Amino acid sequence: MRDIIRLPKAHLHVHLESTVRWETLREIARDNGVEVPAPPEGGRAAAFAGFRAFADYNALVRACLQRPEDFTRIAREFCADEAAQGTRYTEVTFTAASHGDRLGRPEMPLEAVLLGLEEGRAAHGIEYRVLLDHSRRRSVERARRTLDLAVRYAGDGVAAMGMAGEESYPLAPFTAVVDEAAERGVRLVHHAGEACGPDSIREAIGPGRTERLGHGIRVLDDPDLVAEVRERGIPLEVCPSSNVALGFADSLEAHPLPRLRAAGLAVTVNTDVPAIVATTLTREYALLREVFGYDDAVLADLARAGADASFAPEPIRERLRRGIDAWLAEPAAG
């Protein structure tokens, strides 16, 4: 078995606000005079009583972030932590417009995050792009502000936008924003098929124009939809430990990832909210080896799927592929 940290990985589904080191969060909360939430009970795969409980908890974390230096620090530390796990390229999700509205400074949070990511790239050699998300529960006006940020900062590393949050809220109210995003060259990635079933996915790949499915694990509920997603080559951003922690899979052993791969779907491996469920991208790959018995050739295939599904420029994707091939060519540990 080869060292998974050395496997070059692309990390496509990870929310910046849910990557913050706990010691950093405590320091930021103290400096801002905010009560810091304690790490969730339950250890490495803390379970929440549904998505709403998780979202309410995550709001407490977000409220700690107030100053430009807070956002810059967490972005810089994110790069350091990802590089230490063997991530060579990441597409990190950030709820920029929400923070801007909350703080009354529309551009500040995103500009501060981009500064931290660039500092992290310079220090650790990790490449990045930013995906701006918008909660389905929030207004169309805020979604349009998200789009405006995506267009304005496209040259600074913002690659896409998408709808997130509770999937029971439809995408339909945002169709005009989605259409405008496509017309203005902003790529689209929506959360779908995690809490809700095939209809959520159909909406995302239809009027939502999504290029990937954030989660998408409920696609297996409909064989016809499986065939459509497979034929259209729409990748899935699968987050095993998060799915278990949030109650969307009963256990890692019961997780549908092997069935998704067996159905011929493009599966990528991600963490979603790593600090909150106490995982890393390396640990997710290690769990697949441990729980499903995947050998290094399968892990390399999963890493290639991440490179292929990314929005990285082709030279970066090709560098990832060469690195994965080189890893697989290394002698396995005795």
Side-chain angles (χ1 to χ4, degrees), residues 27 36 40 88 111 143 145 166 196 235-236 252 282 293 308 320 331:
E27 291 176 11
V36 64
R88 305 288 179 81
E111 290 181 351
R145 288 196 290 277
E166 294 184 60
C196 294
L236 278 61
L252 285 169
T282 293
D308 293 343
L320 280 166

Side-chain angles (χ1 to χ4, degrees), residues 8-311:
K9 295 177 284 294
H11 197 177
L12 306 183
H13 189 124
V14 56
H15 294 266
L16 180 62
E17 301 94 326
S18 297
T19 70
V20 184
R21 300 171 184 174
W22 290 107
E23 60 270 24
T24 295
L25 193 65
R26 284 192 290 269
E27 291 176 11
I28 288 174
R30 180 199 63 207
D31 292 346
N32 290 331
V34 178
E35 184 176 354
V36 64
E41 295 181 6
R44 300 187 68 84
F48 290 87
F51 181 85
R52 187 71 254 151
F54 160 75
D56 290 344
Y57 178 86
N58 204 33
L60 300 176
V61 174
R62 292 167 181 250
C64 296
L65 307 172
Q66 299 186 11
R67 304 164 299 174
E69 55 265 38
D70 301 337
F71 293 99
T72 297
R73 177 179 177 180
I74 67 169
R76 184 175 59 247
E77 291 182 352
F78 166 75
C79 290
D81 293 342
E82 288 295 305
Q85 296 299 318
T87 301
R88 305 288 179 81
Y89 172 81
T90 185
E91 292 176 4
V92 61
T93 296
F94 181 57
T95 316
S98 174
H99 288 293
D101 285 358
R102 174 174 63 86
L103 298 170
R105 302 175 66 181
E107 296 85 12
M108 180 276 285
L110 179 56
E111 290 181 351
V113 162
L114 290 170
L115 174 61
L117 291 172
E118 186 56 25
E119 290 176 354
R121 185 201 63 78
H124 304 287
I126 186 171
E127 300 290 345
Y128 67 87
R129 294 294 185 274
V130 178
L131 311 183
L132 302 181
D133 68 337
H134 172 76
S135 171
R136 299 163 183 257
R137 298 175 64 240
R138 304 304 178 187
S139 69
V140 174
E141 290 74 19
R142 181 182 286 177
R144 194 168 297 282
R145 288 196 290 277
T146 298
L147 171 57
D148 290 341
L149 288 171
V151 171
R152 178 175 173 183
Y153 292 93
D156 298 308
V158 176
M161 68 170 288
M163 303 299 159
E166 294 184 60
E167 294 171 18
S168 58
Y169 288 79
L171 283 174
F174 306 100
T175 300
V177 177
V178 165
D179 290 344
E180 183 179 346
E183 291 166 4
R184 299 176 76 179
V186 176
R187 305 184 82 163
L188 293 155
V189 181
H190 305 309
H191 288 52
E194 182 190 29
C196 294
D199 287 346
S200 167
I201 295 173
R202 285 195 183 89
E203 189 178 44
I205 68 176
R209 300 190 184 203
T210 195
E211 295 186 50
R212 299 194 305 250
L213 286 168
H215 299 290
I217 57 175
R218 295 284 300 278
V219 67
L220 293 171
D221 294 356
D222 185 330
D224 291 337
L225 185 59
V226 170
E228 181 179 357
V229 171
R230 180 178 59 238
E231 289 163 9
R232 292 178 58 178
I234 300 172
L236 278 61
E237 303 167 354
V238 179
C239 310
S241 290
S242 173
N243 296 152
V244 174
L246 301 185
F248 301 122
D250 290 338
S251 66
L252 285 169
E253 291 78 8
H255 194 279
L257 187 147
R259 291 183 286 129
L260 294 167
R261 294 191 72 248
L265 298 170
V267 172
T268 70
V269 180
N270 306 277
T271 65
D272 192 18
V273 289
I276 293 178
V277 302
T279 195
T280 65
L281 191 56
T282 293
R283 181 173 181 267
E284 294 301 292
Y285 275 83
L287 286 171
L288 300 185
R289 174 189 274 170
E290 173 187 337
V291 175
F292 302 129
Y294 286 168
D295 62 19
D296 288 353
V298 175
L299 299 185
D301 283 345
L302 289 164
R304 286 191 199 96
D308 293 343
S310 77
F311 296 151

